[in-house]
Amino acid sequence: MSRSATSFRPSPPERDTVVYGALVLNTELLMILFYPGFWRTTLNGLFNIFLAFVWINVGVWALLRTDPPDAPRRQRRTALGIAVGYFALIAVAGGLVSVGDLFIDVPLPESGPRIAWLIPGWGPAVTYVGDLVRVALLPYRVIGYLALSYLVYATVLDATGSAVSGALGLLSCVSCTWPVLASLATGLLGSSSAVALSVMNWSYTLSTVVFLVTVALLYWRPFAR
């Protein structure tokens, strides 16, 4: 069995992993408790914070635990190009980068760079509004998309039968495609239908579920066995 096939197998957590994991979770809990608007945060806001930290923790775990296999330089360049293109695609699809004021009818206020102090996990977000481009770097999305792209890089080096997971990764942006899904649902079933409401209310939950499934497939890759 090849080295790359064994490097993606799950293993029992080591003592240091448990200690560092507990430290990270405690730090995140303190960040939430000391967030200035914590006591005014709604249950829905707390749930969104929870989902954001799921993305961050799983993304960081995947980045630290993934060991790309050795490969010739040409193959590494090809895999890197695919991973960069993949990140660019999901960054645009996920709203990290979008067209600027020049291409929309109503200019947005506060042009230029700024820091948006959003709820933990969503902020602090680095944003930029310009004539040609708008950027909104939410921490949980940046880390999650970087993790997916790095896993795609490792997977391309290790296997060629990974198109299914790559395509599934694009669906991790349910949160940005839900308006289309909602439009289809309302057009077919009516604006008050349970399906339409579910698409809108559970968009970030669906995004998180698909993100977790994609990370699992790209990390352990049962399809490559």
Side-chain angles (χ1 to χ4, degrees):
M1 185 174 293
S2 65
R3 172 190 172 186
S4 57
T6 59
S7 61
F8 284 79
R9 283 185 173 180
S11 57
E14 299 177 355
R15 180 177 179 275
D16 289 344
T17 301
V18 175
V19 172
Y20 290 138
L23 179 62
V24 168
L25 292 178
N26 287 333
T27 302
E28 291 172 347
L29 180 60
L30 290 176
M31 289 174 59
I32 295 172
L33 293 177
F34 284 97
Y35 170 64
F38 170 74
W39 301 109
R40 299 188 303 273
T41 305
T42 64
L43 289 178
N44 186 60
L46 292 175
F47 185 63
N48 286 334
I49 292 175
F50 168 75
L51 293 182
F53 279 117
V54 169
W55 279 66
I56 292 172
N57 293 340
V58 173
V60 171
W61 177 84
L63 287 169
L64 295 177
R65 298 280 293 185
T66 300
D67 183 19
D70 295 330
R73 180 177 300 179
R74 181 177 179 180
Q75 187 176 352
R76 292 201 304 269
R77 287 199 299 263
T78 300
L80 179 61
I82 293 174
V84 170
Y86 182 85
F87 179 82
L89 184 60
I90 58 178
V92 172
L96 296 184
V97 180
S98 57
V99 296
D101 295 348
L102 188 63
F103 301 101
I104 58 178
D105 296 332
V106 181
L108 296 177
E110 301 186 27
S111 297
R114 70 186 186 95
I115 302 294
W117 298 100
L118 306 177
I119 57 177
W122 295 65
V126 178
T127 65
Y128 173 81
V129 177
D131 291 336
L132 298 177
V133 66
R134 286 181 290 164
V135 178
L137 302 180
L138 279 65
Y140 88 93
R141 285 189 181 179
V142 172
I143 294 174
Y145 292 167
L146 283 175
L148 285 175
S149 302
Y150 189 61
L151 287 168
V152 166
Y153 169 76
T155 303
V156 170
L157 290 179
D158 187 63
T160 58
S162 58
V164 173
S165 285
L168 186 58
L170 297 178
L171 296 179
S172 64
C173 184
V174 174
S175 61
C176 66
T177 59
W178 70 264
V180 178
L181 300 177
S183 297
L184 291 175
T186 53
L188 294 175
L189 303 173
S191 59
S192 62
S193 69
V195 175
L197 293 176
S198 296
V199 170
M200 291 184 288
N201 293 335
W202 294 95
S203 58
Y204 293 113
T205 303
L206 293 174
S207 295
T208 303
V209 171
V210 176
F211 172 73
L212 294 176
V213 171
T214 306
V215 169
L217 287 175
L218 287 172
Y219 183 82
W220 285 295
R221 292 174 300 144
F223 48 82
R225 297 291 179 263

